Amino acid sequence: MVFKRLLGALGVGGPTVDTVLSTPTVHPGGTIHGQVNLVGGEREAEINGITLSLVARVEVEYEDHEGHTNKTFASTTVSGPLRLAAGEHRAVPFAFPVPFEAPATSIAGQHLAGMALGVRTEVDIAGQLDKGDADPLAVEALPVQQRVLDALLALGFRFTRADLEAGHIRGTRQTLPFYQEIEFRAAPQYAHRCNEIEVTFIADAYGVEVVLEFDKRGFLHGGDSVRTYHLDHAAAQQDLTPVVDGWIRAAL
């Protein structure tokens, strides 16, 4: 996957940069590998540094409306100061760790509607920070997360959409400034008690917190209800359908 542009700080005839991802699909907690390819322009250029950032499109709430903004949630320096000669070709390899809390953009190879993540290359050149558009990045769900989602589908829930919400879920180990909500329409056997379920994963190296938010039906018990459950990564070795079914029945 290649993202190429002219470094605008030096104008026409300046150097160009290509960011090549050799791992355009990763898992949370994994590593993005690739290289930044620089090609010198018509004259020598002083580059102060090159930084890669992970950016995500996040939904934010204002006083009277909702909107979207791009939030950076991880960054790494891939190069310090360097001098790029006119016409010189230089490759800068990198290995970029992905946070365990990185949201999934695809499940079993299928893109989640509403999700947009990317890798942005920022070049500090001539005292100016040249920021490009983000090169798209696909993040596959962790195996244990996949098991939970498979269980919901097996129980008859239907995926509707996913998004990223700015803010923090109280009582969790969340460290990022946003969290992912994966929304499902209720399965027929639960439809008399809830309209939908929103699933959030807060993962780390040891396991995952599964946050389920239920949009309940009913006059006395209507409204939202939130439950948090814990799974270690070894749970990916089993069918979690009866476990998830138990969670839902107890919550409802």
Side-chain angles (χ1 to χ4, degrees):
M1 188 174 294
V2 179
F3 173 68
K4 182 176 182 179
R5 73 179 192 277
L6 174 72
L7 293 178
L10 293 185
V12 176
T16 60
V17 57
D18 300 347
T19 299
V20 181
L21 305 183
S22 57
T23 50
T25 300
V26 295
H27 286 89
T31 303
I32 305 168
H33 294 277
Q35 63 185 36
V36 178
N37 296 323
L38 299 166
V39 180
E42 296 176 359
R43 56 192 178 277
E44 185 179 84
E46 293 285 347
I47 294 177
N48 298 323
I50 302 173
T51 301
L52 297 181
S53 300
L54 294 182
V55 295
R57 187 180 63 184
V58 178
E59 185 175 298
V60 293
E61 293 186 3
Y62 302 99
E63 291 184 359
D64 56 352
H65 68 283
E66 294 181 346
H68 290 87
T69 187
N70 290 327
K71 284 189 176 291
T72 298
F73 63 97
S75 61
T76 186
T77 299
V78 299
S79 173
L82 60 88
R83 180 173 297 170
L84 189 67
E88 178 185 356
H89 290 247
R90 184 177 302 195
V92 182
F94 63 82
F96 190 171
V98 178
F100 269 98
E101 288 181 46
T105 65
S106 59
I107 300 173
Q110 297 297 313
H111 178 70
L112 291 177
M115 296 303 304
L117 296 185
V119 179
R120 173 175 290 155
T121 307
E122 301 176 350
V123 182
D124 184 350
I125 184 169
Q128 300 181 49
L129 190 61
D130 191 297
K131 291 186 177 182
D133 294 330
D135 197 27
L137 177 69
V139 178
E140 279 278 350
L142 289 165
V144 66
Q145 297 170 337
Q146 181 69 59
R147 283 292 195 181
V148 173
L149 299 174
D150 287 343
L152 288 168
L153 295 173
L155 291 169
F157 287 86
R158 294 179 57 191
F159 169 75
T160 55
R161 64 188 296 269
D163 63 8
L164 299 178
E165 299 275 349
H168 189 277
I169 301 177
R170 183 180 302 175
T172 68
R173 297 192 296 266
Q174 179 188 343
T175 62
L176 296 186
F178 57 82
Y179 55 91
Q180 182 177 35
E181 289 184 336
I182 304 174
E183 300 178 12
F184 290 85
R185 186 171 302 150
Q189 66 269 34
Y190 310 107
H192 66 292
R193 294 301 306 274
C194 74
N195 297 304
E196 65 179 20
I197 289 181
E198 295 176 347
V199 184
T200 296
F201 296 114
I202 309 294
D204 59 23
Y206 304 100
V208 62
E209 290 178 294
V210 184
V211 183
L212 300 182
E213 181 174 349
F214 301 87
D215 179 13
K216 289 187 175 182
R217 293 181 183 272
F219 175 71
L220 293 178
H221 304 289
D224 293 342
S225 174
V226 179
R227 299 288 188 274
T228 302
Y229 307 92
H230 300 264
L231 295 170
D232 58 33
H233 290 290
Q237 304 301 316
Q238 66 185 88
D239 179 6
L240 293 178
T241 303
V243 174
V244 174
D245 186 43
W247 292 347
I248 296 170
R249 292 186 182 279
L252 296 181

